[in-house]
Amino acid sequence: MAESGWIKTGRIHYGSDNPYYFEINHFEKEYLPETLNRNFSEESLRVFLDKTYNIQWSYAHQENHSNVSDKQISELLKVEQGTLILWIKRVSFDIHDSPREYVNTYYLADKYYLEIELTI
């Protein structure tokens, strides 16, 4: 969906036929116009961005919040309204320090697993 210069994609990710999380991506329409013509239920969004636009990612800013599901998220993830979820907001930047992707992801808190490797 394109809204005032922005492309918005929404995808539900499944594991073993059960929804695990719902992800909403926002991109500048002018920067990534071909995104409107793709079906990301059949191909990887990241692979498409890399192959089509050769975006060289540099870093991302991410916030993690505990929350409860509203009506829309509950319906998409097939849980009762008010279920505990993890809401992650992320902005990804390219090597020119330009924000290229805005993401809101809603994870079922009881299905979420995080492992991070840190370079120090």
Side-chain angles (χ1 to χ4, degrees):
M1 163 192 309
E3 296 175 3
S4 64
W6 290 91
I7 297 169
K8 177 181 176 182
T9 65
R11 301 176 299 157
I12 301 171
H13 295 259
Y14 289 83
S16 302
D17 296 326
N18 296 309
Y20 273 65
Y21 65 95
F22 175 58
E23 181 176 76
I24 302 169
N25 299 76
H26 296 87
F27 304 100
E28 290 178 80
K29 183 179 177 182
E30 182 177 298
Y31 186 69
L32 304 171
E34 275 302 306
T35 306
L36 284 171
N37 303 320
R38 304 307 277 235
N39 180 350
F40 295 108
S41 67
E42 299 175 355
E43 70 177 308
S44 165
L45 175 61
R46 282 284 177 199
V47 170
F48 165 77
L49 293 175
D50 181 49
K51 286 184 176 180
T52 306
Y53 295 104
N54 194 31
I55 297 174
Q56 297 177 31
W57 301 103
S58 177
Y59 67 98
H61 174 78
Q62 181 169 299
E63 299 175 13
N64 301 335
H65 303 268
S66 61
N67 209 333
V68 293
S69 60
D70 61 15
K71 183 178 179 184
Q72 177 191 20
I73 298 300
S74 296
E75 289 174 358
L76 292 169
L77 296 179
K78 299 180 183 173
V79 295
E80 290 184 27
Q81 190 169 340
T83 297
L84 186 61
I85 60 171
L86 177 63
W87 169 36
I88 296 180
K89 297 180 356 179
R90 184 180 72 234
V91 180
S92 301
F93 296 81
D94 67 14
I95 60 171
H96 305 292
D97 205 32
S98 295
R100 294 296 178 198
E101 177 187 49
Y102 300 86
V103 183
N104 283 291
T105 309
Y106 304 89
Y107 291 90
L108 293 174
D110 63 340
K111 306 283 187 204
Y112 186 77
Y113 171 79
L114 176 64
E115 182 175 325
I116 299 174
E117 182 174 318
L118 302 172
T119 303
I120 54 173

